[in-house]
Amino acid sequence: MFIKHMALLFFLTSCALFKSAPSLKSENKMKLLDAVRLTGEGRGRLTLGASQYVFSFESLMKENTDWLLAVSIPLHGEEVMILPELKQKNMPDSELESFEARIDREFDRLKLDKILTSEEFLKEFRSLVRFNLAKAWGQKPDCAEQGDDLICELDGEKFLVKVSEKDINIIKLLGKGRSLVLNAQNLTNSIFDRTDIRLYSSESHSQKKESSLSLELFWQN
């Protein structure tokens, strides 16, 4: 079963690499932001160091306020991440859900807390998800063009939106060269069918696309 999941994910990745698409640079950036997907179902992969977990998943907004990600990992079973009360800027205190606990253990094992603690990562991850789902709970980020990019603000937090020929990057700068980046690719039928969230420990790692953590979500259309 694990090999089957890996083969399917490789097929999805290969299709993404060889799919031709028009340039996104001439598109309206706000409409591209609306096309980024964070709800639905599909296949995914979590990479932390040398550890990789391939899974099927379903994500949804519960009552337009909680973002839920339920994953099914071969040999491990179902695990859940919940980002609660997105209407609130600050993350409320809550116990770690099972998928969050997995990330927490891997952060500790890999000593990633030298870059960012798992608590800080989940807080910034929630901030990025919150920015992208703001319309779902009735708030609109304040965005202004700056050259070829957008600078957006939501409740005092800033996000940089960069559009290239084939993808869109939403960047949350974390200081000391660190960043959390949401990358959306393969726009078809007015939606992106792949969403990656990556943590970079330095500017050089960001330029080389060498992430300390990556969560890749391949959406089923």
Side-chain angles (χ1 to χ4, degrees), residues 36-43 55-62 66-72 78-83 99 125 129 133 195 197 215 217-220:
V36 174
R37 293 186 71 174
L38 281 171
T39 58
E41 58 184 313
R43 303 285 182 180
F55 49 81
S56 58
F57 73 87
E58 181 177 2
S59 67
L60 56 90
M61 281 286 285
K62 181 181 178 183
D66 298 344
W67 185 74
L68 284 73
L69 176 68
V71 307
S72 181
E78 185 169 283
E79 297 180 0
V80 178
M81 170 185 282
I82 300 177
L83 303 182
F99 194 55
F125 182 90
V129 170
L133 292 174
T195 306
I197 297 177
L215 176 64
L217 304 174
F218 299 83
W219 304 95
Q220 178 180 317

Side-chain angles (χ1 to χ4, degrees), residues 6-114:
M6 287 295 291
L8 178 58
L9 190 58
F10 177 78
F11 173 75
L12 289 170
T13 306
S14 300
C15 289
L17 288 173
F18 292 102
K19 185 187 297 180
S20 60
S23 171
L24 299 180
K25 284 201 166 186
S26 60
E27 300 290 333
N28 181 290
K29 295 183 180 65
M30 294 304 295
K31 288 184 178 179
L32 290 177
L33 275 176
D34 290 341
V36 174
R37 293 186 71 174
L38 281 171
T39 58
E41 58 184 313
R43 303 285 182 180
R45 175 170 54 201
L46 173 68
T47 304
L48 283 144
S51 299
Q52 281 197 353
Y53 303 96
V54 177
F55 49 81
S56 58
F57 73 87
E58 181 177 2
S59 67
L60 56 90
M61 281 286 285
K62 181 181 178 183
E63 298 178 353
N64 289 336
T65 185
D66 298 344
W67 185 74
L68 284 73
L69 176 68
V71 307
S72 181
I73 306 174
L75 306 180
H76 295 274
E78 185 169 283
E79 297 180 0
V80 178
M81 170 185 282
I82 300 177
L83 303 182
E85 298 296 337
L86 292 183
K87 291 183 180 180
Q88 301 178 19
K89 175 183 176 181
N90 296 322
M91 185 170 179
D93 293 332
S94 59
E95 294 185 5
L96 289 179
E97 299 293 337
S98 48
F99 194 55
E100 298 160 26
R102 176 178 297 281
I103 292 173
D104 182 67
R105 291 193 301 271
E106 291 289 345
F107 261 70
D108 184 59
R109 184 180 68 83
L110 297 169
K111 303 190 184 305
L112 290 178
D113 55 357
K114 294 179 180 179

Side-chain angles (χ1 to χ4, degrees), residues 202-217:
S202 67
E203 290 182 12
S204 62
H205 284 176
S206 177
Q207 292 168 356
K208 297 174 184 176
K209 305 299 182 186
E210 296 175 351
S211 55
S212 303
L213 173 151
S214 69
L215 176 64
E216 301 162 85
L217 304 174

